[in-house]
Amino acid sequence: SLRSTLTGNNVNSSLSISLGEQAGNSWQQEKTIAIGNYAAYQNQALFGIAIGVTAGQSPQNQYAIAFGWGAGTWSQGESCIAIGKAAGNDRQESGAISIGDTAGKSLQGIEAIAIGTLAGENDQDSFAIAIGPAAGRYNAQGDSAVAIGHNAGNDNQGNYTVALGTHSATNNQAD
């Protein structure tokens, strides 16, 4: 394993890389990469990649990718992808994808997809899709809901609903 002089030293496996202050500090499994201060700080699972300050901080499950400042910081599920500042930051569940600054930032459900700045930012339920700046942003984007376009489905989009186009279904789209 490759380690910088400021990385952690508690139960780290071979074939792992950690560079940066406290990167891969504790329980970094084999075939993982942690680059940046506090990246993959604790409990980085097999094949995890965390690049950026606090990326994939704790825990990062197997096959997860966190790239950017604060991406996938708290509880990143298996096979998740978080790319961008604070993307998938807090509780990104298995198979979820967040691309863009604060996309899927808090409570992103199983296999949910958020692409664009602020897309699916707060409480995006399982299998929901938000594409575009601030699409599906606030107060729960329901299960399997789809929001495509700037501010589409922005606030409280119901389960199994579709919002297509700029500012469509901006507030309280019912189930």
Side-chain angles (χ1 to χ4, degrees):
S1 72
L2 173 64
R3 309 194 86 50
S4 75
T5 58
L6 297 174
T7 59
N9 53 13
N10 300 315
V11 191
N12 299 88
S13 298
S14 63
L15 303 175
S16 63
I17 297 170
S18 57
L19 297 170
E21 184 176 350
Q22 299 297 314
N25 181 66
S26 177
W27 297 99
Q28 184 184 25
Q29 293 185 11
E30 66 182 36
K31 300 176 184 156
T32 56
I33 298 170
I35 299 174
N37 293 346
Y38 298 93
Y41 178 76
Q42 184 176 14
N43 299 327
Q44 185 183 33
L46 197 63
F47 301 110
I49 299 172
I51 300 174
V53 174
T54 71
Q57 190 171 17
S58 179
Q60 184 185 41
N61 285 293
Q62 62 186 6
Y63 308 107
I65 298 169
F67 185 79
W69 180 92
T73 296
W74 303 108
S75 193
Q76 188 181 30
E78 183 175 329
S79 301
C80 287
I81 298 171
I83 299 173
K85 182 181 76 181
N89 179 270
D90 184 17
R91 290 178 277 175
Q92 187 182 34
E93 294 187 26
S94 296
I97 298 170
S98 297
I99 301 173
D101 287 356
T102 68
K105 181 181 178 184
S106 180
L107 304 174
Q108 189 180 29
I110 295 168
E111 296 183 11
I113 298 170
I115 299 174
T117 299
L118 304 170
E121 181 187 33
N122 186 27
D123 199 7
Q124 185 184 33
D125 288 348
S126 296
F127 312 109
I129 298 170
I131 299 174
R137 181 178 183 188
Y138 290 119
N139 302 323
Q141 184 185 26
D143 284 344
S144 302
V146 176
I148 299 175
H150 181 250
N151 271 340
N154 180 279
D155 188 3
N156 199 21
Q157 185 182 19
N159 297 326
Y160 311 103
T161 57
V162 177
L164 295 175
T166 298
H167 300 289
S168 61
T170 300
N171 292 306
N172 300 313
Q173 184 180 22
D175 293 353

